[in-house]
Amino acid sequence: MADGLGTIVVVEDDPNIADLVDMYLRRDGFRVVQASSGEAGLQAVERERPRLVVVDIGLPDRMDGLDLCRSLRSSSNVPIVILTARDGEVDRVLGLELGADDYVTKPFSPRELVARVRAILRRTGSTERAATAILEVGDVAIDVERREVRAAGTLVPLTAREFDLLTFLAEHQGLVLSRRQLLDGAWGPGWVGDDRTVDVHVRQLRKKLGSALSLSTVWGVGYRLG
Ligand code: CA
């Protein structure tokens, strides 16, 4: 089955890059739908209900990649991988704050992008964890199987990465974890990221879960949940 791994929407206005990404993802077993603008990307996501979206930050017209991330996040938890320019540190941080799950810096190797995509889908599509697990920390309840988080009983939408980070913290509640441990645990040991990435996601978790989340910053060390 050619589209056995599901559909990925690639939003990129540079046809050379779009075709290259398209080719590698197809070769890996995904079905690919391309869109060359933010508006077209949004429509494609609504129409195709993809498993993941690859979004270039630099898009033409009124809606750039960051706008698209914001729009997608207002209505969906679909995993997002952003493509940013090498000097696009601000874009990268903003993209993660807006809910992107990962990023790849241009120029990138298509293989690396496919590896990132697969890693995210492995995490988000995981059925390997304990089937009945509901982790509770204070007023936060994490349904590991359904990937749902409730704060004081109210469902709170999280990105895939935020969910993984929260789950990892909850699995080690009461322990102080360093940013490196959190990167290894929630992003995977091969992930090349800096501490700032963890801080960005922690900030998002605090914002979304508010006072239900008993997450302490341990200065000079890392974070502790519960
Ligand atoms: Ca572009």
Side-chain angles (χ1 to χ4, degrees):
M1 193 163 61
D3 59 351
L5 292 180
T7 300
I8 293 181
V9 168
V10 175
V11 190
E12 163 64 271
D13 59 307
D14 181 328
N16 294 322
I17 296 177
D19 285 346
L20 190 67
V21 169
D22 189 316
M23 186 180 79
Y24 271 81
L25 287 171
R26 273 179 208 278
R27 193 183 282 172
D28 222 55
F30 294 99
R31 173 173 170 265
V32 179
V33 174
Q34 289 189 26
S36 58
S37 72
E39 286 87 352
L42 203 53
Q43 286 166 14
V45 170
E46 281 166 9
R47 190 179 62 238
E48 305 287 340
R49 304 265 157 209
R51 286 189 70 194
L52 184 142
V53 190
V54 176
V55 175
D56 180 37
I57 294 298
L59 292 172
D61 305 331
R62 282 165 300 146
M63 185 185 272
D64 71 10
L66 294 173
D67 296 328
L68 178 58
C69 285
R70 197 179 289 118
S71 289
L72 289 172
R73 270 297 160 265
S74 67
S75 61
S76 152
N77 286 327
V78 66
I80 302 172
V81 177
I82 53 176
L83 307 178
T84 68
R86 182 174 286 282
D87 55 357
E89 168 71 19
V90 173
D91 285 345
R92 202 145 59 224
V93 171
L94 261 177
L96 294 173
E97 282 180 349
L98 289 174
D101 295 282
D102 206 345
Y103 64 85
V104 174
T105 306
K106 288 181 176 179
F108 59 90
S109 116
R111 273 179 216 287
E112 183 198 351
L113 175 62
V114 171
R116 293 287 176 87
V117 165
R118 292 199 77 123
I120 290 176
L121 292 178
R122 224 174 9 252
R123 288 199 317 274
T124 56
S126 173
T127 53
E128 289 158 24
R129 285 179 197 263
T132 57
I134 303 256
L135 293 169
E136 287 189 38
V137 185
D139 275 344
V140 175
I142 306 165
D143 186 328
V144 176
E145 178 81 343
R146 303 175 71 175
R147 296 186 67 86
E148 286 179 356
V149 172
R150 286 170 198 276
T154 304
L155 195 62
V156 179
L158 298 182
T159 68
R161 197 72 91 177
E162 288 161 5
F163 181 90
D164 291 335
L165 177 60
L166 180 64
T167 303
F168 189 75
L169 281 160
E171 285 168 346
H172 299 84
Q173 59 181 285
L175 300 178
V176 181
L177 298 173
S178 71
R179 292 173 175 81
R180 186 68 249 173
Q181 286 173 312
L182 292 169
L183 281 173
D184 286 348
W187 276 258
W191 208 81
V192 190
D194 57 26
D195 294 352
R196 181 77 205 270
T197 309
V198 174
D199 296 338
V200 166
H201 285 77
V202 163
R203 201 182 313 148
Q204 289 299 106
L205 285 175
R206 283 181 166 145
K207 198 156 86 186
K208 290 183 176 180
L209 297 168
S211 60
L213 184 74
S214 54
L215 180 62
S216 323
T217 303
V218 182
W219 295 105
V221 189
Y223 295 100
R224 182 185 59 227
L225 184 63

